[in-house]
Amino acid sequence: MKYIKFYKKILVIGGLMSCFNACKKDNYAPPTNKFTGRVVYQGTPLGLKNNNGGTVYFELWQGGYGKSGAINVYFNQDGSFSDLLFNGTYKMVIPTSQGPFMSIENPETHTDTIPLVLTGDKTMDIEVMPYYMINNAKFIIGADSVVTASCSVKKIITDTNAKDIQFVALYVNRTDFVDDNNSFVSNTIAGGDISDMNNLSFTAKIPTNIANANIGVGKQNYFYARIGLKIVGLDDMLFSDVVKVSL
Amino acid sequence: MKKIFFISIAVALLSSACNDKSFLTNEPTSILTTDQVYSSSELAFSVLANLYNGYVDQQTITNWAEFTNFDEAFPSEAGNYWRVQQINYPYNWWSLWNYDYIRNINLFIQNCQASTKLSDGDKTQFIAEARFLRAANYFELVKRMGGVPIITKPLTYDYSGDPTYLQHPRAKESEVYDFILSELDTIKNILPDDASIQDRATKGVCLAMQSRAALYAASIAKYGVNTPSVNLPGGEVGIPASMANAYYEKSRNAALELINSGKYHLYMKHPDDLATNFAALFYDKSNNPEVIFAQNFKLKSGTVEAWTLNNQPRAIAEEAQGGRLNPSLNLALQYEKLDGTYAPFNTDSDYANEGDIFANRDARLAGTFILPGSQFKGQNVDIWAGYILPASNNTIITSNVFGGQAQLPGKNYKEQVVGFSGPIDGLEFSAQTGFYVRKFMDPATGSGQIGTQSEVWWVRYRYAEVLLNIAEDEFELGNNDSAAMYLNQVRLRAGLTIPLTPSEITFDRIVHERRVELAFEGHELFDNKRWRIADKVWNGQQISAQDLFNNIGKASAPNTMIYGMWPYKIYQPGSINDGKWIYKVLKPNEVTAAHNFQLGNYYSQIDQGILSNNSKLVKNPNQ
């Protein structure tokens, strides 16, 4: 009986000790440096697609730690990003063919690689060269639940790298995640059918029964709308800001 | 005293154990050494058989769900509905990097060469077969990943701390195709030229594979201009357009050599029932003149397959199993009328018999699909969605269980109001598109039982595909006359008696013919990729049934969502229409997303771990 008690004590003490030891030795502090910013063209953030945390990303590379592999940081649909990182020296690069834009040569590296030194929180806008910009996107809901949208499109890259427009489209959705995959009503103008790039307009009627929308049924008197632009030969689309429209 | 006694015994035991050292060199009784294996033809052959087991297929009959990713068919099993609900195809789908398998093949070749006890005949035959499997695997790799390192020797690490000599850069995509074609050139003359060998490498399958591989390379070269961003500067992905014609000619010559050998023919054992003839081509394993290379299965041997078990019509299932693969209306619409015209099914009129709507169609429709109103294993498949009441505003009376009952107006008893195979929307294993699959289905008794299953083989290469390959080659080379001739051979077997004229041969025609002839044989994805139309076919845009009707036979028409077509029985007592059938087109409710094939899907992602291990590899484009 006495022995059993003794062993119990040892077990308890040993258990406690191993707990404390584990906390001290096995774990180290998580990264705390907040690295935030936006992807911009001349200060204006670019609208992108948001699909489970984004589809457009840039890579952060940090040398000297064994196997090579990038940290992928995804852009939100308003062009912003944020990540928690350790202090250190990183190289930042947007992989070619990511996003509806091209990287700009960095004055320091003379490539598209951007050097990044983190010693604490940092906010940084990434300047890029979009193929197009969508300007003056306006949305009005008129009589009979018809959304009327208008915008102008400006071609930014006009040299040999220029790409054509595949289509421009108005998307309307019930939540503020709006893009080509998340919309219950849309209206598309093919690239070849655009006559005046400064004056594009769309109409789309919000159906009374949206049971077949991918987000369920419900009565709602406000919606979110957005204009998207698909560029020939690129996966990622360019979008305007998401705008809330009320019936 | 005791102590001394124990110590002395211990010393005695230890020293005695060490005296006889021969136990350290005993031969193992449960492991065969390399020398033993490669000194016996049977044992070496069993190693080779295992290499045959490693042959990679993307879609195959032992993996039914893979057939439902591309709007060819609907997955009627709750656990697989996600396949019609996801929008983007992940970049790492179809990824393959099986260099362990290639190492095993290379080791096998090396050991066979080194063996002094194998007969020369066995040696050459085994090595040629292993090289065939290696070429087949490189074909599978290049289809999915683009150019990959070509490794033809077993690589071994020397523990020097520097593994860089094991790291090889990716070869050009064209170089991998060239490697495959030249390997096949060499071994086709070593392998037996015997059409009765259908599950091992022969000259026939070398030629068939050459015709397919060269065709792939040719079309990537020709149509790569349509996707300029799917390219790498080092040529790891993408083939220069100037190489297209040489590859088309290579493909044609290989096909021609196979055709001229006269050893293979189109299967034609049931000329009076062309639909059954087409279905039998896949399950008839005795003297089948069309099958060039297949993965074989054998009853009661542990190697059986469950395609029939998984997909049998629920009404006549031998177990509470089946009904999983529902071919889509999208595919059914592609089958022409017997006069060679495209036409949607006429859903405006009513029919005396349930199957009448499918009358006078390409026999491959009924050979590939189990249609409503037809039979499987001699029993009615019982597919109908309910009663429709024209007298009361087309009300539908149906049930949501297999063969469910309800009371029709004017009757005082309940009766069956829906088929025992469905269709019932959202009910798994029911024919949710209105169809079940017939291709590769085994009509033998017991094939639908878990304890028996089926020995129907998985046909990887067959003569009709070679004819379609050469038709495409000839078309691309500008010889429409012979393109039409080869295409018409395949079409004649399908009951399309009006031949296509040379001027009617277009790219759309070629694509269409492959789609209807080779459905559920694993071609759709890779064909659409090599023609560079995959991003147009699966463009992420929702489609309506009307879009489908308007675009029959158009190669790059969007095909992003699955539709179905359900038969209803008219209930109108006293009217001549009573008991007739009408059809309705619908989209299963589980189909919520439009499939989107991104440019980054043209070549699958190389895993980050592989890239980290070998800094000489470059990533695939658009990822």
Side-chain angles (χ1 to χ4, degrees):
Chain A
M1 203 56 209
K2 203 174 159 194
Y3 280 114
I4 292 172
K5 263 189 186 165
F6 176 66
Y7 283 125
K8 259 191 187 165
K9 245 182 217 167
I10 288 190
L11 272 178
V12 169
I13 292 169
L16 282 173
M17 276 169 74
S18 62
C19 273
F20 288 120
N21 279 342
C23 293
K24 240 183 215 166
K25 297 224 166 178
D26 297 352
N27 302 328
Y28 42 91
T32 51
N33 292 337
K34 222 177 177 182
F35 178 46
T36 53
R38 300 171 303 173
V39 57
V40 296
Y41 171 65
Q42 295 179 345
T44 312
L46 300 179
L48 300 170
K49 178 169 173 172
N50 192 319
N51 186 11
N52 302 327
T55 52
V56 186
Y57 64 92
F58 62 87
E59 293 177 343
L60 284 176
W61 296 82
Q62 190 180 22
Y65 290 93
K67 276 195 176 185
S68 66
I71 303 166
N72 291 350
V73 184
Y74 286 88
F75 293 110
N76 297 319
Q77 62 178 1
D78 58 356
S80 67
F81 66 86
S82 73
D83 203 6
L84 288 170
L85 297 164
F86 290 113
N87 281 340
T89 312
Y90 298 86
K91 285 175 183 166
M92 182 200 253
V93 67
I94 304 175
T96 38
S97 79
Q98 272 301 321
F101 47 71
M102 290 172 71
S103 299
I104 289 179
E105 187 184 285
N106 185 268
E108 217 172 304
T109 61
H110 296 290
T111 62
D112 58 352
T113 304
I114 305 167
L116 174 74
V117 179
L118 275 190
T119 53
D121 291 357
K122 188 177 173 84
T123 303
M124 180 174 142
D125 283 351
I126 305 169
E127 186 76 30
V128 293
M129 199 59 158
Y131 289 93
Y132 290 91
M133 282 296 277
I134 304 171
N135 299 317
N136 306 321
K138 290 196 186 72
F139 306 89
I140 305 157
I141 290 199
D144 210 17
S145 305
V146 173
V147 182
T148 308
S150 63
C151 69
S152 66
V153 169
K154 192 172 178 223
K155 195 168 193 172
I156 308 291
I157 298 178
T158 50
D159 59 4
T160 51
N161 293 316
K163 288 184 191 292
D164 290 337
I165 298 176
Q166 192 169 331
F167 61 80
V168 187
L170 162 71
Y171 298 109
V172 184
N173 202 12
R174 287 183 63 215
T175 72
D176 70 351
F177 293 109
V178 196
D179 53 47
D180 49 326
N181 296 141
N182 296 298
S183 72
F184 63 85
V185 57
S186 64
N187 189 357
T188 306
I189 303 176
D193 298 343
I194 298 174
S195 49
D196 182 4
M197 297 251 287
N198 292 316
N199 198 359
L200 286 160
S201 69
F202 311 84
T203 53
K205 184 175 159 39
I206 293 172
T208 42
N209 173 17
I210 51 172
N212 283 329
N214 54 2
I215 37 166
V217 210
K219 286 199 171 174
Q220 191 170 321
N221 62 357
Y222 57 90
F223 296 94
Y224 295 89
R226 205 177 191 200
I227 289 168
L229 189 158
K230 174 87 168 66
I231 299 156
V232 174
L234 286 182
D235 278 337
D236 299 317
M237 287 172 68
L238 181 74
F239 289 93
S240 69
D241 285 346
V242 179
V243 173
K244 183 176 175 181
V245 291
S246 299
L247 285 181
Chain B
M1 195 60 209
K2 233 184 194 172
K3 240 185 216 168
I4 293 168
F5 176 70
F6 278 125
I7 289 170
S8 55
I9 283 186
V11 168
L13 277 173
L14 280 171
S15 54
S16 70
C18 294
N19 275 343
D20 179 15
K21 283 187 182 146
S22 65
F23 84 98
L24 288 170
T25 56
N26 269 352
E27 290 289 320
T29 54
S30 57
I31 298 170
L32 291 168
T33 63
T34 308
D35 286 342
Q36 285 168 338
V37 170
Y38 292 95
S39 60
S40 140
S41 155
E42 286 78 13
L43 285 175
F45 179 58
S46 72
V47 178
L48 182 65
N50 197 34
L51 294 179
Y52 271 100
N53 258 342
Y55 196 102
V56 180
D57 294 292
Q58 202 278 116
Q59 296 174 320
T60 161
I61 48 170
T62 53
N63 194 5
W64 69 270
E66 286 296 320
F67 286 103
T68 62
N69 297 333
F70 311 108
D71 304 300
E72 229 174 351
F74 176 88
S76 193
E77 184 191 82
N80 278 297
Y81 287 158
W82 61 271
R83 292 173 192 273
V84 289
Q85 292 166 352
Q86 72 163 6
I87 298 161
N88 290 324
Y89 296 111
Y91 284 149
N92 62 359
W93 265 28
W94 325 302
S95 278
L96 182 68
W97 204 264
N98 57 350
Y99 277 89
D100 50 343
Y101 178 56
I102 290 174
R103 181 180 154 80
N104 286 340
I105 294 175
N106 288 336
L107 272 175
F108 178 80
I109 294 172
Q110 193 186 48
N111 288 330
C112 275
Q113 270 159 353
S115 163
T116 49
K117 295 196 179 138
L118 286 176
S119 75
D120 282 348
D122 281 345
K123 240 193 220 184
T124 20
Q125 158 93 14
F126 287 169
I127 291 172
E129 283 184 75
R131 285 173 74 178
F132 164 78
L133 291 171
R134 190 171 64 188
N137 196 66
Y138 273 109
F139 186 22
E140 205 61 35
L141 278 166
V142 73
K143 264 158 61 179
R144 297 159 185 240
M145 317 304 292
V148 292
I150 300 174
I151 309 292
T152 54
K153 297 249 156 22
L155 302 178
T156 306
Y157 182 47
D158 61 6
Y159 295 97
S160 65
D162 176 22
T164 43
Y165 72 100
L166 297 170
Q167 297 171 342
H168 294 262
R170 296 175 65 180
K172 287 183 183 172
E173 187 168 17
S174 61
E175 286 171 348
V176 180
Y177 278 109
D178 291 343
F179 171 75
I180 297 161
L181 296 174
S182 82
E183 283 285 286
L184 294 170
D185 264 334
T186 317
I187 56 178
K188 73 179 180 194
N189 298 317
I190 306 171
L191 290 167
D193 189 7
D194 181 352
S196 67
I197 302 173
Q198 286 159 308
D199 52 5
R200 284 179 71 179
T202 55
K203 183 173 186 180
V205 65
C206 286
L207 292 171
M209 190 179 284
Q210 269 190 330
S211 90
R212 192 193 286 180
L215 180 61
Y216 274 52
S219 39
I220 290 166
K222 172 148 192 215
Y223 294 103
V225 289
N226 296 339
T227 52
S229 67
V230 183
N231 245 311
L232 286 175
E236 292 89 350
V237 159
I239 298 176
S242 56
M243 298 170 81
N245 275 6
Y247 281 125
Y248 279 125
E249 278 161 18
K250 178 88 192 162
S251 168
R252 175 185 59 188
N253 295 344
L256 211 53
E257 191 179 341
L258 183 117
I259 294 166
N260 288 343
S261 77
K263 289 178 188 291
Y264 299 93
H265 305 281
L266 289 178
Y267 182 91
M268 211 52 192
K269 288 192 192 169
H270 308 276
D272 47 340
D273 182 353
L274 292 173
T276 301
N277 183 64
F278 188 71
L281 138 65
F282 297 94
Y283 60 71
D284 181 358
K285 288 165 67 169
S286 69
N287 288 324
N288 188 324
E290 178 156 352
V291 173
I292 301 172
F293 183 60
Q295 179 187 11
N296 219 339
F297 296 91
K298 182 100 186 80
L299 284 180
K300 298 174 185 167
S301 72
T303 53
V304 289
E305 46 92 359
W307 178 259
T308 312
L309 173 70
N310 284 328
N311 302 317
Q312 59 193 327
R314 267 311 283 262
I316 57 164
E318 291 173 308
E319 304 256 7
Q321 280 278 346
R324 287 175 170 82
L325 195 75
N326 302 167
S328 62
L329 174 64
N330 315 25
L331 179 62
L333 285 170
Q334 300 295 326
Y335 293 86
E336 294 155 63
K337 297 212 292 193
L338 279 179
D339 58 9
T341 54
Y342 299 130
F345 298 107
N346 184 357
T347 50
D348 291 334
S349 59
D350 41 37
Y351 297 90
N353 297 308
E354 195 181 7
D356 284 355
I357 192 172
F358 306 107
N360 296 321
R361 289 263 170 184
D362 184 333
R364 290 171 290 189
L365 173 62
T368 309
F369 287 55
I370 292 177
L371 298 166
S374 70
Q375 293 194 323
F376 183 66
K377 293 186 184 178
Q379 288 173 279
N380 291 329
V381 294
D382 203 26
I383 298 172
W384 56 288
Y387 281 101
I388 189 160
L389 279 55
S392 45
N393 215 0
N394 286 335
T395 309
I396 286 166
I397 294 180
T398 184
S399 161
N400 55 9
V401 292
F402 287 114
Q405 298 193 329
Q407 198 169 331
L408 290 167
K411 295 196 175 169
N412 56 3
Y413 55 90
K414 285 188 168 184
E415 60 185 300
Q416 183 190 349
V417 293
V418 69
F420 275 96
S421 290
I424 297 160
D425 200 37
L427 180 67
E428 56 178 356
F429 314 132
S430 76
Q432 294 190 52
T433 60
F435 307 111
Y436 285 132
V437 66
R438 184 170 181 196
K439 210 177 234 187
F440 289 111
M441 290 290 277
D442 187 352
T445 308
S447 59
Q449 289 174 9
I450 294 170
T452 312
Q453 302 190 24
S454 169
E455 61 180 5
V456 165
W457 53 12
W458 166 240
V459 178
R460 288 176 176 139
Y461 286 88
R462 63 185 175 97
Y463 186 65
E465 188 217 334
V466 177
L467 291 177
L468 295 182
N469 291 351
I470 194 171
E472 186 177 345
D473 298 323
E474 295 286 27
F475 163 72
E476 296 287 0
L477 291 167
N479 310 325
N480 278 25
D481 290 13
S482 39
M485 182 189 84
Y486 292 118
L487 221 49
N488 284 329
Q489 290 184 24
V490 179
R491 292 167 61 82
L492 186 64
R493 198 252 306 259
L496 301 163
T497 44
I498 305 169
L500 290 175
T501 61
S503 62
E504 284 174 306
I505 307 291
T506 58
F507 176 72
D508 283 347
R509 267 287 173 197
I510 302 276
V511 171
H512 167 262
E513 207 61 48
R514 286 184 79 90
R515 199 166 162 206
V516 294
E517 174 75 27
L518 303 173
F520 304 114
E521 293 180 59
H523 291 268
E524 193 189 13
L525 169 68
F526 295 110
D527 274 346
N528 282 343
K529 270 167 53 155
R530 70 185 171 88
W531 290 317
R532 295 294 190 259
I533 57 173
D535 63 311
K536 298 190 176 70
V537 171
W538 300 298
N539 65 356
Q541 309 285 318
Q542 311 244 338
I543 53 168
S544 67
Q546 197 56 46
D547 293 335
L548 286 179
F549 300 156
N550 294 342
N551 288 321
I552 301 171
K554 289 191 188 136
S556 50
N559 181 34
T560 54
M561 306 180 99
I562 289 167
Y563 280 81
M565 192 169 75
W566 288 5
Y568 290 90
K569 211 184 267 190
I570 297 175
Y571 180 69
Q572 199 171 13
S575 157
I576 50 156
N577 287 333
D578 188 44
K580 284 189 173 178
W581 296 87
I582 65 164
Y583 277 80
K584 278 175 186 275
V585 170
L586 82 165
K587 186 175 70 183
N589 267 332
E590 298 295 339
V591 178
T592 54
H595 286 135
N596 188 21
F597 188 98
Q598 305 158 88
L599 294 167
N601 286 120
Y602 270 108
Y603 292 92
S604 296
Q605 194 170 39
I606 302 176
D607 186 67
Q608 184 59 46
I610 297 163
L611 292 170
S612 306
N613 285 339
N614 182 355
S615 55
K616 289 179 183 152
L617 300 177
V618 290
K619 283 211 283 190
N620 272 334
N622 299 301
Q623 292 175 359

